[in-house]
Amino acid sequence: MPSSESQSWKWLESHFIRKPFMAFIHSFFDESGKFKDKRVISFAGVCGSGTRLEQFNDKWTHLLRQNQMEYFHMQKALRYNAPLSPKIRKQTINERIEVLKPFASCIAENLNLGIGMVVEVEGYANWSREAKRKVGGSNDPAYVAVIRTMMEIKDYFGADSRISITCDHDNYTAWNILEIYKRLKHLDPKARESFIALTFADDKHSPALQAADMVSSLLRLEATRLARIHPYDFLPLYEYLRKERDTSAIEWKITFGDKKKMLRTGSNLARRRE
């Protein structure tokens, strides 16, 4: 009869020693725009492994102190003709862009992945009831973006990764994101293994959520330009965020769901058998 010591060793070996290496990824997301009053909405964010996330947090916090900012909020930062902090007063658009460039560099040089989806609201609004039912039945196109983005993370980091998801707390969206998360884990065995946590937090206390706010806001503004809805002043900042640089660590996976693409997706989804 095997000793209790040998049984304990076999249990330890089977549960830990023979397990493949797992990458633990922390992801942070924010929504920009509400479908009831915006023609384009986005759900986007950033992802980082433990070491990179620590480096990012330190450098982002240093930038906040340097600029006398309690925390970073993109909507406030975009109002260049108003003070951003006691140190940063009313500026020209070019001056404000120069202030924000170090924050964009901090994202690009320290995190693993920038990811998200932008949706032109009118395209989703014309989906059939059947197509919408297959993605949860909501009239809010943000949830298509949430589903697509979560699945992209899972596929990008692979089966051996364990992914935590933190979203900016919003009473309007939190419950629906939770339902999507539960549904994906129920339907997809790989998602069930990969996704290990979903939390909601106040972005005032999370540098990575503040970075997600910046990314999501700029993506939505860029999508309004691409859809020829209207131009925007901060295009040079978006291009600076996305440009390739020798010091870049980040990879980008961005989906622009314009009206034509959304109509085609809705049509294909309605015809697909479950």
Side-chain angles (χ1 to χ4, degrees), residues 18-213:
R18 291 178 181 172
K19 291 283 185 182
F21 172 77
M22 293 182 187
F24 287 87
I25 304 297
H26 307 275
S27 59
F28 301 83
F29 291 94
D30 194 18
E31 180 187 6
S32 179
K34 300 295 185 185
F35 78 101
K36 291 183 179 180
D37 58 10
K38 298 292 184 184
R39 293 174 63 181
V40 174
I41 61 93
S42 67
F43 181 79
V46 294
C47 309
S49 59
T51 302
R52 285 193 182 178
L53 186 61
E54 288 178 13
Q55 293 173 347
F56 165 80
N57 285 338
D58 288 344
K59 292 178 181 180
W60 189 274
T61 302
H62 174 73
L63 287 172
L64 292 176
R65 287 198 300 266
Q66 190 178 60
N67 289 285
Q68 298 181 10
M69 297 166 64
E70 183 180 356
Y71 64 95
F72 184 97
H73 192 272
M74 192 60 178
Q75 188 174 6
K76 184 177 181 180
L78 292 173
R79 294 196 292 267
Y80 59 88
N81 56 356
L84 182 58
S85 73
K87 181 179 179 179
I88 303 169
R89 311 305 296 175
K90 177 180 177 180
Q91 296 177 299
T92 65
I93 178 62
N94 289 332
E95 288 171 337
R96 182 59 57 90
I97 287 173
E98 290 304 311
V99 166
L100 299 181
K101 277 184 175 181
F103 290 94
S105 290
C106 187
I107 294 170
E109 294 172 7
N110 294 285
L111 295 171
N112 298 77
L113 181 68
I115 188 168
M117 182 175 184
V118 187
V119 177
E120 195 168 353
V121 172
E122 187 179 355
Y124 179 77
N126 285 301
W127 278 24
S128 68
R129 182 179 299 179
E130 176 63 13
K132 289 181 180 178
R133 184 189 67 79
K134 290 179 178 178
V135 293
S138 175
N139 287 322
D140 189 343
Y143 303 117
V144 175
V146 173
I147 292 169
R148 174 67 180 265
T149 302
M150 284 187 180
M151 298 309 288
E152 285 272 4
I153 299 173
K154 173 183 69 67
D155 293 342
Y156 178 84
F157 287 107
D160 292 335
S161 296
R162 298 296 177 260
I163 303 165
S164 69
I165 299 171
T166 301
C167 296
D168 185 32
H169 187 270
D170 182 322
N171 289 332
Y172 176 75
T173 59
W175 182 258
N176 291 287
I177 291 175
L178 174 60
E179 290 298 310
I180 291 169
Y181 177 83
K182 288 161 56 179
R183 180 176 173 83
L184 289 177
K185 283 175 71 72
H186 175 72
L187 295 175
D188 186 336
K190 292 182 179 179
R192 190 156 54 245
E193 287 293 317
S194 293
F195 296 138
I196 60 171
L198 172 66
T199 59
F200 298 90
D202 186 337
D203 63 354
K204 291 181 181 180
H205 308 292
S206 171
L209 279 178
Q210 294 167 35
D213 175 33

